[in-house]
Each structure stands twice: as C-alpha cells, then as structure tokens.
Amino acid sequence: MGPYILRRLLLIIPTLFGIMLINFTLTQFVPGGPIEQILARLEGSGDVFETISGGRGDVETNTLESSGSDYIGARGLPQEFIEELEREFGFDKPAHVRFAQMMWNYVRFDFGESYFRSISVIDLVAEKLPVSISLGLWSTLIAYLISIPLGIKKAVRDGSSFDTWTSGLIIVAYAIPGFLFAILLLVLFAGGSYWQIFPLRGLTSDNFEELSALGKVADYMWHIALPVIASSISGFATLTLLTKNSFLDEIKKQYVVTARAKGLGERQVLYGHVFRNAMLIVIAGFPAVFIGVFFGSSLIIETLFSLDGLGRLGFEAAVARDYPVIFGTLFAFGLLGLLVGILSDLMYVFVDPRIDFDKREV
C-alpha cells in the first residue's frame, strides 16, 4: 500500500499545477480585472461591467463632464496613479512571472491578502467556514442516515408497492430545485405567510454568547434546520439507488444462497454477509461525497437564508476579480480534494482488507 500512496501523492504535484495553470491562463483573457474594477469605481461608473456595456456609468460620467464638475472621474485619472496601482497589485510584471511567484507563495501556504477587504485569504476563508461546514456535514450525514436504510429496504422489497412509491417520491425530490424548496420552507415555516417556527436568517441568534452550552446547541440546530433540509432534498436519489443496486447485486450471488442453505436467518444473511460487501462503494465514498457537498455550497440557499459562507465568498470574489481569494481558495481546496481522493482509496482498504492497490496500475 505504501508505494501506491507515494505514487498518488507524487501525482498531486502535476495535477494541482495543471489546475492552477489552466485557471490562471483563462483569467488573462477575462475583461474587467481588479485594476479596471478600481478605476471604474473611482471614475463614478460604480461597476466595471456597466462601463463595458455602456450602462449607467457612462451616462453619469458624461453628465459630470458636461457640467464642468471638479470630480476626478470627470477629468480622468492620472497615468501615474494607474501605473502605481499596477505595481501595487503586481500587474507590472509579465504573466509567467506573476504565476511563478504566486505558485511559490502557495507552496509555502502564503495566500496573501484580499485586494478589496484588507484581510488575509486564510482569515477570510476561516470566517466563512462554519456555514459551509454546517451545510456540508449535516446534509451528508442526513443523506446517509436516510438513504442507506431506505436503499436496503427497497432492495429487500424489490418490485413491491413500497419500492414503487418510494421511487416516485425520490424522483420528485430529486427534480425539485433546492432554491425553490428553500423558498417554500421560508414561506411555510419562517414567517412568510403561515408559521413563524424557524428563524429567517443567520447561523446563530444575537444573544448566542449569553446562552448555556445546551442552549447554544439548540440555537444552532434551530437556525441550521431549514438550510440543511433545503440543501439535502435532492441528495437522496443517487445514494438510495446506489445502495439498492449494490444490495441487489450481492443478494443474487452464490455465497448468499449458501448462507441461506446453512439455515441462517434473513437478518443474519443481510447484515452479517451482504452488508459489508454491498456497502463497500457507499461507505468508502463518504469523504468524496462530503467534500463534494462542502465545495458545492449553494450560493442561492446561502443568500435566501442570509448565510455568509464559501458560496457567497466565491461569487463575490469572482465578480470583483479578487484574484488572491479566487486562486488561494482554488489551490487550497484543490489540494484538499486530491488528498481526499487518496483517503477514499484508503477507506476501501479499511472496509475490505482484500483490496490491494499495489497490484494495480495508477
């Protein structure tokens, strides 16, 4: 197992380098960089995209120019000021030099500061992590706790009326967009038009620090209930059907027939023999599933419930062209995702020691 893990660790280097290089190259062709963002705001356009599209910003600037205002946007910004901005942000250097310097800093886990927030990228991400971890962890746990027992029961009762109507419910839940279900929950249970049972926004109450330990747990669960339900509503389908199909494949194998012939009860056969083999792919994939939910923080759900997580951070950084935040989080989460891939392989070995990756080619 050691040589396999070493090969996988070494593969992280070119893979992560390729991810960063492709994304860095693409940003060189995207209009509206951080310098343009600052200039657009200073010139009174409000947003660089309004200037590009010839929107409100051009109208305001033209009005100021025609009125003879002393506003700096009406006179244009000095070239020296623009060059100073470029030096401050490092855009006076060639792209390949900036990329090499960025990667050298990232290798040392120096992610720099946000262009527009005067806070380090690490501190900024740490500030948003509680929301994303809450949504990702609880959504994943709920999906597993419901989908695995449901998938097993569907496999045991394959073709029955129970299997049919639960499949219908799963398909309907999978088809409902998460944001639409979130709006429905807000209308019904957050004081929209019916019941004021759950809070409308935030992860904790204003008096959270004054509560007891048990009160803090209850307050946290009270706030996170609706966002977690909304984010996990469509996550049951794949896992439930995967569990069902895995059990169906194992139930038809010869060792199950032999176990039954020896007089073992159905429960002993199911959980003593079938479960371990059938759940291999489901349990071993838990780290990857969690990271997928964690990275896939829903911007819309965070916005609807006024949660400030990584979804909103990524969107705001992309709009503002806040490159340290964009590339810093891309590097950190890309590295984490690749390491989780190795962890998933280790989970396979932990669940079933018969698996030997050293006999396979990477």
Side-chain angles (χ1 to χ4, degrees), residues 38-231:
I38 294 175
L39 295 180
R41 294 174 186 176
L42 291 176
E43 291 175 352
S45 301
D47 191 281
V48 68
F49 302 107
E50 292 176 359
T51 304
I52 293 174
S53 60
R56 177 177 57 85
D58 290 339
V59 176
E60 291 180 354
T61 303
N62 291 336
T63 303
L64 288 168
E65 287 176 347
S66 62
S67 63
S69 171
D70 290 333
Y71 178 67
I72 192 171
R75 305 193 309 270
L77 294 171
Q79 183 63 31
E80 295 80 7
F81 175 76
I82 297 176
E83 292 175 354
E84 179 62 27
L85 275 179
E86 291 177 347
R87 282 192 297 271
E88 182 178 347
F89 287 105
F91 289 101
D92 57 327
K93 302 173 183 176
H96 68 278
V97 175
R98 287 187 282 118
F99 177 75
Q101 184 175 1
M102 180 186 72
M103 291 301 297
W104 172 242
N105 290 334
Y106 287 176
V107 167
R108 296 180 290 128
F109 293 98
D110 177 11
F111 299 108
E113 287 190 355
S114 166
Y115 283 159
F116 305 104
R117 305 196 188 199
S118 298
I119 182 175
S120 70
V121 174
I122 293 178
D123 291 339
L124 189 59
V125 171
E127 180 184 315
K128 315 297 182 183
L129 270 180
V131 170
S132 296
I133 289 179
S134 295
L135 291 177
L137 180 61
W138 290 115
S139 298
T140 305
L141 288 177
I142 290 175
Y144 268 77
L145 290 175
I146 294 178
S147 297
I148 291 177
L150 180 59
I152 294 174
K153 192 166 185 178
K154 285 173 65 64
V156 173
R157 303 179 61 177
D158 183 41
S160 66
S161 58
F162 172 82
D163 183 36
T164 302
W165 68 261
T166 51
S167 294
L169 287 178
I170 290 172
I171 293 173
V172 171
Y174 185 73
I176 298 177
F179 75 91
L180 186 61
F181 191 67
I183 294 174
L184 177 63
L185 292 176
L186 287 173
V187 172
L188 290 177
F189 304 112
S193 301
Y194 295 91
W195 303 283
Q196 178 69 56
I197 300 176
F198 295 95
L200 185 61
R201 60 176 59 86
L203 200 60
T204 56
S205 300
D206 294 335
N207 64 336
F208 181 77
E209 296 299 331
E210 302 172 5
L211 300 175
S212 63
L214 186 60
K216 289 181 178 180
V217 173
D219 183 74
Y220 168 77
M221 300 301 294
W222 183 46
H223 279 77
I224 204 66
L226 294 187
V228 167
I229 293 173
S231 63

Side-chain angles (χ1 to χ4, degrees), residues 177 182 266 308 312 359:
E266 192 64 25
D308 196 7
R312 291 180 64 179
K359 295 180 180 178

Side-chain angles (χ1 to χ4, degrees), residues 242-360:
L242 178 62
T243 303
K244 175 190 174 182
N245 293 332
S246 297
F247 266 79
L248 284 177
D249 289 341
E250 293 297 323
I251 288 173
K252 297 175 183 178
K253 292 184 178 180
Q254 185 61 41
Y255 75 89
V256 177
V257 177
T258 304
R260 286 172 176 165
K262 290 180 178 180
L264 295 179
E266 192 64 25
R267 191 175 186 83
Q268 287 180 294
V269 173
L270 193 61
Y271 292 99
H273 293 74
V274 176
F275 184 84
R276 181 172 184 175
N277 294 323
M279 294 305 297
L280 174 62
I281 190 172
V282 178
I283 296 176
F286 178 83
V289 172
F290 169 67
I291 291 297
V293 176
F294 178 73
F295 286 165
S297 308
S298 175
L299 168 64
I300 299 178
I301 289 179
E302 288 182 10
T303 303
L304 287 173
F305 291 99
S306 299
L307 299 173
D308 196 7
L310 292 176
R312 291 180 64 179
L313 174 65
F315 173 76
E316 292 170 359
V319 171
R321 301 296 192 267
D322 198 344
Y323 290 157
V325 176
I326 295 174
F327 291 121
T329 53
L330 177 65
F331 180 88
F333 294 151
L335 177 61
L336 181 60
L338 293 171
L339 291 174
V340 165
I342 300 176
L343 179 60
S344 296
D345 289 345
L346 296 178
M347 286 288 291
Y348 278 105
V349 177
F350 175 77
V351 175
D352 189 351
R354 296 172 299 177
I355 296 177
D356 187 0
F357 285 104
D358 286 332
K359 295 180 180 178
R360 303 175 55 192

